[in-house]
Amino acid sequence: MPSIIAQNLDVVRRRISAMSLAAGRDSSSVQLLAVSKNFSADAIRAAHAAGQKAFGENYMREALGKMTALYPLRRFIEWHFIGPIQSNKTRAIAEQFDWVHSIDRLKIACRLSEQRPTHLPPLNVCVQVNISGEASKSGVSPSEIAALARDIVLLPRLQLRGLMSIPEPVSGLHIKGAPHRRLRELFDAVNAQDLHLDTLSMGMSSDFSEAILEGATIVRVGTALFGDRPYQTH
């Protein structure tokens, strides 16, 4: 498994570099976030040994178990929470993670700010946008982004970095790129209000190439790195 993960990382990094070049961007402007939900601590250890630093998790209980198993590597790993956030899970997220991509309401942002330990740097956060308007997806509507962003920047223990989305799965280069283009346009509109965001978290294994062409700065890749995800209950 370690050699396969290392090979997959190399393939994905090469694709990121190629798409960055196609977009007229430096490959260093795109961060690879390895989505490790449902994969073991050993898989994360193998990816880290191959040079991967940032890992994304969706489920608090699962993530805490891996953090415990990988504690000796804590200062070398950047942990990102990318799943829906329940109110009773905010303290652990505020205490254990470096980034949160999935803020979709002010109540959650306030709890994270209040519960972020003062000895840690401010928690980097993104507003999740329901870019495809799916009833089953978390995220604010495009019309709600600016108001929520303005409220979050006033919270003392958070650093608002940008926007995140999980578009509805589609096929075709142009169709895949459309929701990413829309998120970038919304990002530009929010930044026109002097909010100084720098992060677009968009694109997964099936569409990160299209996301990079539209301006992604973080791509969240799991299957292309670790293989098909085993089913687990949480």
Side-chain angles (χ1 to χ4, degrees):
M1 181 178 69
S3 62
I4 294 173
I5 291 174
Q7 291 170 15
N8 290 344
L9 271 167
D10 183 62
V11 170
V12 170
R13 288 170 180 152
R14 289 177 183 273
R15 285 181 60 190
I16 289 173
S17 294
M19 298 313 299
S20 298
L21 180 63
R25 302 170 58 190
D26 192 300
S27 60
S28 64
S29 68
V30 182
Q31 180 184 14
L32 172 60
L33 178 62
V35 178
S36 46
K37 70 173 183 179
N38 291 354
F39 290 101
S40 68
D42 285 340
I44 295 174
R45 188 178 288 110
H48 180 267
Q52 179 62 26
K53 176 184 177 183
F55 295 87
E57 291 285 336
N58 289 61
Y59 308 112
M60 176 51 57
R61 184 173 64 179
E62 177 189 342
L64 291 179
K66 296 176 191 177
M67 289 176 179
T68 298
L70 297 166
Y71 182 76
L73 297 177
R74 178 62 185 96
R75 64 192 180 98
F76 304 111
I77 287 180
E78 186 177 86
W79 291 103
H80 294 234
F81 193 82
I82 60 176
I85 303 173
Q86 300 173 350
S87 295
N88 64 346
K89 302 292 176 62
T90 55
R91 182 173 298 279
I93 293 172
E95 292 175 347
Q96 300 298 329
F97 282 83
D98 304 295
W99 280 74
V100 174
H101 293 231
S102 46
I103 292 182
D104 62 358
R105 55 198 189 278
L106 183 59
K107 175 184 176 181
I108 294 298
C110 289
R111 289 177 66 90
L112 290 171
S113 178
E114 292 165 359
Q115 295 167 347
R116 181 67 169 176
T118 57
H119 70 277
L120 294 177
L123 183 63
N124 296 295
V125 301
C126 293
V127 170
Q128 181 173 351
V129 181
N130 189 345
I131 199 68
S132 300
E134 296 175 83
S136 61
K137 290 276 177 69
S138 300
V140 301
S141 68
S143 64
E144 298 172 310
I145 297 170
L148 180 56
R150 286 194 296 267
D151 287 335
I152 291 174
V153 297
L154 298 176
L155 298 175
R157 302 296 300 149
L158 303 184
Q159 179 67 49
L160 180 62
R161 298 295 299 270
L163 306 180
M164 182 271 255
S165 68
I166 307 174
E168 182 178 11
V170 293
S171 60
L173 177 64
H174 180 73
I175 297 175
K176 283 184 179 181
H180 301 313
R181 189 175 313 117
R182 175 60 175 150
L183 190 69
R184 183 199 9 105
E185 291 168 350
L186 292 167
F187 174 86
D188 291 342
V190 172
N191 267 344
Q193 302 181 34
D194 293 325
L195 286 176
H196 308 293
L197 308 183
D198 62 10
T199 299
L200 271 172
S201 171
M202 59 186 193
M204 298 181 287
S205 290
S206 62
D207 63 353
F208 72 83
S209 294
E210 293 82 1
I212 291 171
L213 290 174
E214 297 300 338
T217 64
I218 296 179
V219 292
R220 308 180 308 272
V221 180
T223 302
L225 297 178
F226 298 111
D228 291 334
R229 185 165 284 112
Y231 176 78
Q232 294 184 11
T233 58
H234 299 276

